[in-house]
Amino acid sequence: MCKNCYITTPIYYASGYVHVGNAYTTIAADTLARYKRLEGKETYYLTGMDEHGLKIQEAAEKQGKTPQQLVDDVAEHTLGLWKHLGVTNDGFIRTSDPRHMAKVSELFEKFLASDDIYLSEYTGDYCVACEAFFTKTQLGENNTCPDCGKPTRKVSEQSYFFRLKKYEKQLLDFIKANPDFIQPETRRNEVVSFIESGLEDLCVSRTSFSWGIPVTSNPKHVIYVWLDALFNYLTAINYDEHDDSLYQKYWANNKEIYQLVGKDILRFHAVYWPIFLMAAGIPINFKLYVHGWILMKDGKMSKSRGNVVYPYDVTSRYGIDALRYYLVKELPIGNDGLFTYERFFERYNSELANDLGNLVSRTISMINKYFGGKIEKGSVATPFDKDFEDIINDTIVVAKEEYSAFHLQNALTKVWQIVTRANKYIDETAPWVLAKDDAKQEELKSVMYHLAEALRIASTLLAPVLIETCPKVIEYLGIQEEMSVENLTFGYEYKNNVVSSLQPLFKRLDVQKELVEVNTPKVVPMDFKSNVAFDDFEKLDLRVGEIIECKKVEKSDKLLVSQVQIGTETRQIVSGIAETYKPEDLIGKKVLVVVNLNPAKIRGVESSGMLLCASDGKTLQLVEISNVNSGVKVK
Ligand code: ME8
């Protein structure tokens, strides 16, 4: 059996913050990675950020940031979130990393040299949100994107193309020879019929924007974001570097590679990615595991619908385990799941607080009460012991298979059989009755031992999901060894006493009260940045400026370029305010300007300073001032 395991999530678009829907892939991958480590596998878990492309460039313009500032902010936020959610990634690749960029440039040139990429002219319908062209037959009503439903735009440009068609047969043969390459099977069938309907060569460069990896031999082109992004899975582990030991270990000589993706990005991973690998002569060693979406009552979670729930909204009140548990339990393999607070509270109360939480506190308190905290096997069995033991041992086998097949929901459901069976076992054996009968002490011991074993085994198997709760239960049972599923079986010898008292693991929620709470607009604590010294503040030079000229930046819906009079000087400043202001409305306005920011090029236009705006992300207003001459200091 292979000792190494490589697990990847798609790299997240750095255009905005992660919500509970797209957090799913990372939590699911973390669950799998934690499980594989429990199996004793050397596991490398990679996630990261997708930082190039028009989508990012436009999001940055909208926020009045440079793309680099935006991706730095989002990457920092996302890393903080993963840490908060207990995500145990080993690598975090960012596509703006110079090492990644250099390798993708090299690969592009290699594809040009091998004639896998050629130059031609392209006109097509492009979706900015998905960074993808679509053919007429793929488009939705009114030329909308078939994936996200947003309007597409016509884009026409001289472009490089990748010869996908050339690899059509080779890819089909590969998929047919490797039936488990794409899972579940429904997704595999979808991919096969997509390929059988005929592949078209893929446009792999853009000239209409600049935020991306330039083509080395023709730098007015930037490399298509998917060609750039997909190679993250290899550049992150030092593919083709001087020291490529990680690549050798986790890719070249490894057959246990899980690439997890949501169904929206199936085509990119099941068609383009293997073809890129074939062209580059890199083995296709991975298997693709495709999951569905977490939906809200009114459809997919999206900012424009206003139905977004962020992970912190949930974890700040109900804890990390509750969110992880809900998401993993909610998504059946191959289908979509739902996020509603009603459902979340229902699961929290019935499964976490009642089934598991109560089982733990009842078991520990009975072991204390009847045997002073000691767990012993007991020489006389009750009539229910054998059946209970069989269920536990069977669960171990099945849950392990389910985890490894990335059937996470099934794994949880299976382990829960131990929990529900244990609660039933308490009712069947009625330990409080046995306790009153001196002749039944050995049976009582056996009951307590079985319950402890149920908790030990269930906690070990649930540890990849309930990352805070399970280690606590193991500690409550007095077990000091590291958890492992390698030789997990009924029959542990307990050496230490259980803890003498414990706090409830999950406090029952008052559903009505919580529903009011989550539906009441929050008094959100102000996310002030940390303090700076006065000296640092003084480094900023803020002045009054008067806009004397203003026009739109070419090919941009969001940017205006203004000439701003600041005392005796005139500055050119680019601002992301075109959706709120017409150029002619700004002439004569007196505004506040940061004059000593390093000059930057935004969409190729030099900008030397920044106009201050108040913005909540939806509306925006320039900070104006009157009765003060331009050039005057603001302090
Ligand atoms: O797709 N429910 O990034 P991303 C479940 N940058 N999963 C969801 C979801 C939902 N409601 N919404 C999104 C990208 N996802 C590209 C990947 S890889 C070379 C480039 C999943 O930030 C989505 O399917 O839009 C993907 O797996 C992950 O969230 C990141 O999505």
Side-chain angles (χ1 to χ4, degrees), residues 467-487:
I467 60 172
E468 293 182 335
T469 308
C470 293
K472 271 191 214 160
V473 177
I474 295 293
E475 193 192 314
Y476 292 167
L477 290 168
I479 300 168
Q480 279 154 2
E481 287 98 319
E482 291 264 309
M483 280 186 264
S484 161
V485 299
E486 270 183 291
N487 297 309

Side-chain angles (χ1 to χ4, degrees), residues 10-13 21-22 25 50 226 229 233 262 264-265 291-294:
I11 45 175
Y12 283 67
Y13 282 126
N22 49 12
T25 320
D50 193 350
W226 276 98
Y233 303 126
D264 47 326
I265 51 177
H291 65 74
W293 280 340
I294 297 280

Side-chain angles (χ1 to χ4, degrees), residues 71-116:
V71 299
D72 287 347
D73 288 353
V74 176
E76 192 186 329
H77 175 91
T78 310
L79 259 175
L81 175 66
W82 295 153
K83 212 165 167 190
H84 167 74
L85 295 175
V87 172
T88 54
N89 56 303
D90 300 278
F92 188 80
I93 174 89
R94 298 180 53 187
T95 54
S96 64
D97 178 334
R99 246 179 4 95
H100 167 83
M101 290 174 66
K103 197 50 65 190
V104 172
S105 302
E106 271 174 41
L107 280 158
F108 195 97
E109 294 301 315
K110 195 170 149 186
F111 292 143
L112 270 174
S114 60
D115 195 37
D116 284 302

Side-chain angles (χ1 to χ4, degrees), residues 9-16 18-26 48-51 55 95 129-130 225-226 228-233 260-266 268-269 291-296 299-302 331 336-337:
T9 70
I11 45 175
Y12 283 67
Y13 282 126
S15 46
V18 173
H19 50 65
V20 295
N22 49 12
Y24 176 80
T25 320
T26 298
M49 303 300 301
D50 193 350
E51 302 191 331
K55 188 180 170 112
T95 54
C130 299
V225 64
W226 276 98
D228 165 355
L230 284 162
F231 277 100
N232 87 85
Y233 303 126
L260 311 189
V261 295
K263 63 179 182 180
D264 47 326
I265 51 177
L266 172 61
F268 304 95
H269 284 83
H291 65 74
W293 280 340
I294 297 280
L295 300 173
M296 302 300 278
K300 196 163 185 249
M301 206 175 280
S302 82
L331 223 56
D336 294 336

